[in-house]
Amino acid sequence: MSSEPAIRCTGIGKAFQLYAHQNDQLKQILFGLWKKFYKEKWVLHDMTFTVEKGERVGIIGRNGAGKTTLLQIICGITMPTKGEFKVQGRIAPILALGSGFDGLLTGRENARIGAAILGLSKKEVDARIEDIAAFADVGPFFEQPMRTYSMGMIARVAFAICAHADANVLIVDEALSVGDQIFQHKCERYIEDFAHNGTILMVSHDLDFLEKLCDRVLWLENGVVKEIGEPARIIADYRAAMDAEENQATGA
Ligand SMILES: Nc1ncnc2c1ncn2[C@@H]1O[C@H](COP(=O)(O)OP(=O)(O)OP(=O)(O)O)[C@@H](O)[C@H]1O
């Protein structure tokens, strides 16, 4: 087994292109060689960190800090503007997978496609599809088009596929927040179980769960790593910063 980390990010930066007017995008395509018709919005800056094989790393930070964007880069959904990243092993991107579902296809059809995208052969998909259905536990909706699903039901199917994909790197973006309590606990048990053998990189606002699960926590602020290290310490610092800001805002 190679001693390379499961995830290595080196100098990752991400800028989105913001267009002031709708037709600026067309102008950019036609005349972009001569003039820039967009403003760059940098949301990640020079992010360098590694996640070792078998490590559980949580990512925390305020809304808009760049957590989802970072996970999307690591999952290959969006490209970094600067820097490089490398992932060793098979990724299961929980929730990100759900955003690729086709609303016209049934849960079963999307689950088959999703599992294949994650690398399962047709034979493996055939063997696991009923287990995926049972894990998702959306009842007869599994045979209905996914446009009829609630957010929580979409998350259930996405999570179920990832849980059966033989992945060794689990990327979780707030997957638990949209599920009901029963499903949340089922996912938590699955994640805790997965943590015995696999690598986990997980974004969550559930600080208690991250503190219990993770070996390290990364605090992302305005697109930079503010702190990374021992969960209890980082989470205490983060809570103190949030409390101080809230007190300032409310004049308490
Ligand atoms: N496609 C896009 N185009 C322009 N800006 C974007 C795009 N996607 C995200 N952003 C911006 O990037 C920043 C980081 O967003 P991101 O979703 O990564 O934050 P986050 O930390 O996951 O937030 P939250 O906790 O609210 O989920 C935000 O300012 C957001 O508005």
Side-chain angles (χ1 to χ4, degrees):
M1 200 160 98
S2 103
S3 57
E4 272 286 290
I7 301 169
R8 180 191 290 283
C9 290
T10 314
I12 292 282
K14 176 72 184 176
F16 287 109
Q17 297 177 355
L18 293 186
Y19 293 91
H21 306 286
Q22 237 174 1
N23 47 11
D24 284 350
Q25 217 157 344
L26 180 62
K27 286 183 192 165
Q28 180 63 32
I29 294 168
L30 296 175
F31 310 114
L33 274 180
W34 297 279
K35 192 179 160 186
K36 227 166 69 174
F37 293 88
Y38 59 84
K39 280 199 178 131
E40 276 182 344
K41 178 184 174 188
W42 284 89
V43 300
L44 291 176
H45 314 267
D46 198 20
M47 298 225 33
T48 297
F49 67 96
T50 55
V51 179
E52 298 303 323
K53 286 195 178 113
E55 207 183 8
R56 295 155 286 185
V57 175
I59 302 181
I60 59 173
R62 301 153 51 107
N63 293 135
K67 305 180 293 297
T68 296
T69 306
L70 177 63
L71 292 195
Q72 286 180 340
I73 289 172
I74 292 168
C75 294
I77 294 166
T78 186
M79 291 301 291
T81 312
K82 274 188 181 170
E84 290 170 3
F85 70 100
K86 198 166 175 192
V87 180
Q88 298 273 337
R90 184 186 282 186
I91 291 190
I94 294 183
L95 269 211
L97 185 68
S99 60
F101 288 148
D102 183 336
L104 296 177
L105 301 181
T106 65
R108 179 180 294 275
E109 289 163 338
N110 273 300
R112 293 190 67 90
I113 295 168
I117 289 171
L118 293 188
L120 296 191
S121 66
K122 183 178 176 305
K123 213 166 141 193
E124 287 168 326
V125 175
D126 288 342
R128 288 174 206 191
I129 191 71
E130 295 312 326
D131 290 340
I132 293 175
F135 192 103
D137 196 16
V138 292
F141 272 93
F142 203 56
E143 315 306 335
Q144 298 300 315
M146 283 192 84
R147 65 182 155 74
T148 63
Y149 282 33
S150 68
M151 289 286 288
M153 290 158 77
I154 293 171
R156 278 169 173 256
V157 176
F159 205 118
I161 299 166
C162 289
H164 292 83
D166 288 345
N168 31 31
V169 181
L170 196 61
I171 307 279
V172 191
D173 189 1
E174 275 298 339
L176 309 181
S177 60
V178 285
D180 59 31
Q181 188 182 319
I182 297 170
F183 191 69
Q184 267 180 22
H185 289 163
K186 191 176 188 173
C187 295
E188 283 177 12
R189 281 195 301 277
Y190 171 79
I191 290 170
E192 280 162 355
D193 225 38
F194 183 94
H196 293 134
N197 300 308
T199 306
I200 299 180
L201 185 61
M202 177 171 181
V203 164
S204 181
H205 293 286
D206 184 345
L207 302 177
D208 292 332
F209 182 67
L210 289 186
E211 187 168 341
K212 196 169 62 157
L213 177 84
C214 293
D215 303 305
R216 283 189 300 152
V217 163
L218 186 160
W219 173 5
L220 193 56
E221 184 150 291
N222 294 326
V224 296
V225 181
K226 180 151 171 98
E227 290 184 24
I228 183 166
E230 204 258 316
R233 179 177 62 81
I234 307 289
I235 287 173
D237 287 353
Y238 177 66
R239 280 201 165 110
M242 293 298 106
D243 288 347
E245 195 176 315
E246 202 179 340
N247 289 341
Q248 204 179 20
T250 58

